[in-house]
Amino acid sequence: MSEDTAAAVAKEKAPAVKESGLSALLGSAAGRNTGLVVALVLLCLGGVVTAGDRFADVDNLLTILRLAAVIGVVSVGMTFVITGGGIDLSVGAIVALSSVWATTLATQGLANDIHWIVIVLTALLVGGACGLVNGVLIAYGKVVAFIATLASLAAARGLAEIISNRKTQIVNVPGFTAFFDASVLGVPVLVVIFAVVAAGGWVLLNRTTFGRRTFAVGGNPEAARLAGIDVRRHTVMLYSLLGLCCGLAAVMLIARTTTGSATHGGLYELDAIAAVVIGGTLLTGGRGTIAGTVFGVLIFTTLSNVFTLNNLSISAQAVAKGAIIVVAVLLQQRLARRSGA
Amino acid sequence: MSEDTAAAVAKEKAPAVKESGLSALLGSAAGRNTGLVVALVLLCLGGVVTAGDRFADVDNLLTILRLAAVIGVVSVGMTFVITGGGIDLSVGAIVALSSVWATTLATQGLANDIHWIVIVLTALLVGGACGLVNGVLIAYGKVVAFIATLASLAAARGLAEIISNRKTQIVNVPGFTAFFDASVLGVPVLVVIFAVVAAGGWVLLNRTTFGRRTFAVGGNPEAARLAGIDVRRHTVMLYSLLGLCCGLAAVMLIARTTTGSATHGGLYELDAIAAVVIGGTLLTGGRGTIAGTVFGVLIFTTLSNVFTLNNLSISAQAVAKGAIIVVAVLLQQRLARRSGA
Amino acid sequence: MTAPALLSVRGVVKRFPGVTALGGVDFDVRAGEVHCLLGQNGAGKSTLIKVLSGAHRPDEGEIRWRGEVVSFSGPTAAMRSGVAAIYQELDLVAGLSVADNVFLGHELSTAGFTHRSEARRRTRALLDRLGHPDISPDRDVGRLSVAHQQIVSMARALSLDGQLLIMDEPSAVLDPDEVRVLFGIIRELTAQGVAVVYISHRLAEIREIGDRVTVLKDGRTVATGLDAREVRTPELIGMMTGRVLENVFPQRKPVDPAAPEVLCVRGLTDGDRFAEVDLTVHAGEVVGLAGLVGSGRSEILETIYGARKSAGGTVEVDGRRLRRGSVGAAVRAGMGLCPEERKSQGLLLDQAVYRNITVSSLSAFASFGFLDDRAERDRARGLTEALDVRPAGVERVVRGLSGGNQQKVVLARWLLRECRVLLLDEPTRGVDVGARSEIYELVRELADSGVAVVIVSSEVEEVLGLADRVLVVREGRVVHEGPADEIDESRVLDLVMEGHAA
Amino acid sequence: GNTPQDTGGGNQGGGVRVANDEPGEKVVIGFSAPAADHGWMAAITNAAKAEAGKYSDVELRVVEGTNDVNLQISQVETFINDKVDAIVLLPFDGAALTPVALKAMKAGITVINVDREFDSPFAARSTVLGDNYGMGVSAGTYVCEKLNGKSDAVVAEIAGIDSLPLTQDRSKGFADALSGCGLKVSNRVAAEFTVESGERAAANLLQAAPKIDAIWNHDDDQGVGVAAAVKNSGRGEFFMVGGAGSANVMREIQADNGPHKATVIYPSTQGADGIRLARLAVQNKSLGDLVEVEVPRQVQLYAPVVTKDNVDRYLPTAFES
Ligand SMILES: Nc1ncnc2c1ncn2[C@@H]1O[C@H](COP(=O)(O)OP(=O)(O)OP(=O)(O)O)[C@@H](O)[C@H]1O
Ligand SMILES: Nc1ncnc2c1ncn2[C@@H]1O[C@H](COP(=O)(O)OP(=O)(O)OP(=O)(O)O)[C@@H](O)[C@H]1O
Ligand SMILES: O[C@@H]1[C@H](O)[C@H](O)CO[C@H]1O
Ligand SMILES: [Mg+2]
Ligand SMILES: [Mg+2]
């Protein structure tokens, strides 16, 4: 039977790839996310009208993307956890702890002696390990995700403070900075990383058994169990994946700020969850969209960019932000309903 | 039939009341919350062992209760919203906005001219109105609660900043301060308020049609709707109730600090949700316990108090806090499982 | 048949906190046979299925598979050994497509990447085989009707290519036409040597498709290996229930022609699934709606009840017109609805039985909003005893009840309210023979006390046996209306399927 | 020993040794400050601890830093219950902590108010203040001098947490000083005193203003992020003035290879000063170099401008953020 399959697959691969190609992807993503796209376009229009060239400038757009990159990577990971029926409040703290651990004098020493990749690996390792702990607590310890990750939040921040002695750790590893400061065909490396993570996340969620199982685990864990999925192991993998994303985000943040700090990643949990949810992923699990999340992240970053370009006071920004969020969601609903999705 | 029922009700009222009396209440609450009680007792033991009389002192216990009071009132309201299947991230911002609005020069002028109760009413009105807006957005606008209240969070804080011009507003209404600074039989008024709210909340959730409908709406909104419950109206009432609690909490905070400020209530959303969830209320709705919430609040505040008494390093506190939360939850689960609940 | 047992079960025990669901079950299944499991609601059939398919671990007992003692570590292990199950509670994942659900857990993939078009193609083939070219493999399962979800579950079970196929009440949501297709497939499979364990509360089906029968009562085997065609019905019912039942449908009283019109529906249209429905029900009358799955009967009921907004037409109760799209108004006017999907539309699964029963009558138990908890329990207890809900105990959480008993809880809710109009959508789905006649009894009593009853059922026999008047619905239109005793089953089927490629 | 022990912390609290350092009666001091969510605030607590460690007669109790005034009030209540001798309090919100500080004073406890001022003169025995308005003035004056009459100069401001009164004081001082030379702030953004928020705010600001002549950034910890954003943008047409005076920024000024040309000090040693004052007040000692018999009611710290020329003098007491 598996040979059959292989043959059939081989035969059908070409058209399948064609159909699921970029245009189809964009098409379907845009279709399901009409409201978000419209909201983003309106926002950009607002930017152009109020700030003209200062908004529509390539540099500015790259700035928006660069700002979106760090929280974007976390949000992609968060999309998996939420789709799988979970939640993680500790992401900001994990980013902080990873950033601190990856920039201690010891790590930087190793990085200078061996290769700057040591910093990256340390951050990924720390992030992944934190995610693993979260996952095990939740899946095997049966601690409610909200509480387990709230506890991790406190513990990871505390640990970050202890390790860093609450000091901002400045990075002096030339290779590291040079690598992440560079651009690829004019696109900053950080933005490239975000794009790769988003694309990878999309493929993982929509084109692999891991992704299918994530939907099942989040949508109906009992059904998933009956279908033979090891729900607990899968849950651990989801949190570990998010932990890795946090580690990567820490690397990006280190590159952006040239520092590791226990204060990094403040309130990332709210930002990431907000981006994911506004993107259309169900907080109750079982339904999730990476494209939506990316739009969600872009909407929030563009919003603060436009505000800043307009020199708006912080208080007015807050009020406007509240109103715009509601409008965006209502828009998304109305448009999604109309298109029957 | 309704006459039959009424007759039956009349006949059986007496024993029912007897059975549901205080001892039964405490018994059942303690039964279901064994783990929490044990955690709290262990924490207190820890306090006594490490700080001796300094912990077990009446003044110190009142300090804990006074600290618990403000967030406690918010958490009781939050228990309703979460039991009803919702979530509210805007509570801290509503507390801030209510506190600011109730302490503007204009309001204080009225309070001095008419009666200090004007301050209280203003706070309740503002809080209730914010809750109403949240409820309407969620129930009728169909905006996901997480996003709707996140938007309210931003907007309410922004508004509070605008109204207060980002200045802390000092209260100069002698009657107000005098009333709330007083004690009833040695118990501070703030603590009395918390006790009344908790008891009232318990009755409302467990002994009234409103409470029963809350469970139904949170447990299965579609079934509740088909059972004839006006789910949307009920949802609006839940958020309004929480808004009122926030208004009341604002009054208490004004009394405690003699100020209104846009920075009041920072991160109350996390504290309140954590207390509610650790207390055993399901984040997915349909199951909720006021007694659990009260224990949750007390656990967190006692923890802070014990830390304060022990002069622990701040970062170590955070790590310990994380660990203790997890242990408390595991304890609660094991003990609850054993007692078959 | 003297073939050795493919599966043999000895002394299986399964306990839940406070309940022993299985207290010693023995039976054998041979290759190529259809082995039927019979038993009252709560007898332990579904639990047994879950034990066999690796979803539950037995506390005691021995399971032999192809002669060897096995202990499945989980559903995957069972599937690998060739055991496939269709569960009663339709455990599919809403939000995933039909094809994804069919292959969930055994995805077609290379290095973790799914072969979507292949999965779609195979799903298409399975659905065609099940007589449903109308279900798209790409459709979100959450948007399918229960009946179609049942078909998807079957496709899923077939996709596993098992040696033993276990079906827990597959026919409950199917119409006769579909049951016929299902039986065709079962025969095909058994001819290839596949064994089928088949659960149903419909004895007629057992006779038609079954080879041997095992009867469970209170978690124990009371008889096993009976010949499905030989064994007599009263004997079976006696073994299941421990009593003798006659005369399933209660005697009809002639409806008083002068009785007032309680429910009056005129030109009801929803602009999509049905149009121009007229329906009048007098006090004391039972009106049955017959039709195929998907013909729009549920939508009609839900629209009458205000749970869906109508596009046109009126609904009156006792001459007073109801506000459109308001369940509250309908309930206040004395209407009650037993919805079709008890799990998602009917029950508060994690709450006590009594709370599920009183939820629609809370104000009757309250003064100034304060509830009399004890009165609630007492009334609920009375009803659950009358309906024989098992295990007894109104404090039990509904989730732990068997499917049929859950159905009774929903019924009890409206019995408690003493409605003017009762709308019953598949009220006996999953209910055992004993309880069924109790429910019929109750419906009749209600009608006799002046309630107007509308009942939707996919079992034509039930509609004809219970109703005074029958409406046949086809594709959202009423195509026939007349007294129940002037029409027979085959005529109804003809009307139902007219123009339907059967 | 009766001399202050060197904690090895090195650069905190320059402190000359005086007779006052002789150990006296034992003093229990409670210390409470906002959450250490940025470098300056972390340094405040570190400095206080280090200072207390120098005295054998001081027992310091440090409680969890918090931005919840309710919690901070209860911490002070606990100190009162504990009958500590003195409380050094950096309130999250001065006005909000006033009632409980009054209560402490009434209970006979010496309260030393640091950084954010109470709204009642009776709430503290002494107050140690930075000069927020003065900080703005110093920064503005420096910018004016540096721009030297350039009337169309674009001046940008990156403020700290905007909801704090001290931020508003700083901005006001800055605006007032600028108007003295005919300039005004053309672009203003607010960050949250953290590196990350500084980077984010600056990245957006640099897009908002295509050409800038000078930037004043309120806080040097967030300034590390601002500098990173500047570096990333490749822009260099402007100079930057920092705030608070972190060692990181001072080293940059010293090296003269980044945008920072100056910073305005807002001493993070306030906490340490608070500890010293509390000890002296409780022990009834006077302030060393003053003729006064008593510890003064208020000490307002000076906000000098640090440039390449004088950085060597300030670097040793600068805070490591
Ligand atoms: N998860 C569970 N927790 C507690 N009790 C359970 C659970 N599952 C089943 N039971 C109990 O086990 C018994 C057998 O239930 P089961 O679902 O097997 O009955 P059934 O024969 O399938 O009934 P039906 O015909 O109504 O589907 C019932 O008493 C039921 O209440
Ligand atoms: N042939 C079909 N075409 C489209 N949708 C269908 C079809 N059959 C069923 N459905 C879906 O099934 C749902 C249920 O259909 P409906 O409630 O009208 O069936 P019914 O006549 O009540 O049958 P049942 O007895 O199974 O409930 C509909 O909302 C519709 O989405
Ligand atoms: O918290 C603030 C900032 O850290 C500033 O840089 C110095 O003053 C403190 O009050
Ligand atoms: Mg069953
Ligand atoms: Mg139907």
Side-chain angles (χ1 to χ4, degrees), chain C residues 16-17 19-22 39-48 50 56 88-89 168-169 199 201 216 342 390-391 396 399-406 430-432:
Chain C
F16 293 110
V19 189
T20 301
L22 299 178
Q40 276 185 291
N41 294 133
K45 304 178 295 295
S46 298
T47 307
L48 178 60
K50 290 196 174 165
H56 282 331
Q88 183 176 13
E89 295 303 349
D168 196 351
E169 300 195 38
I199 299 178
H201 289 293
L216 295 184
R342 58 174 170 254
R390 290 167 188 227
R396 267 175 205 287
R399 193 183 286 279
L401 295 184
S402 76
N405 283 303
Q406 291 181 347
V431 173
D432 67 42

Side-chain angles (χ1 to χ4, degrees), chain C residues 321-334:
Chain C
R321 197 155 150 182
L322 298 187
R323 191 147 55 89
R324 282 199 311 149
S326 164
V327 174
V331 171
R332 277 191 296 277

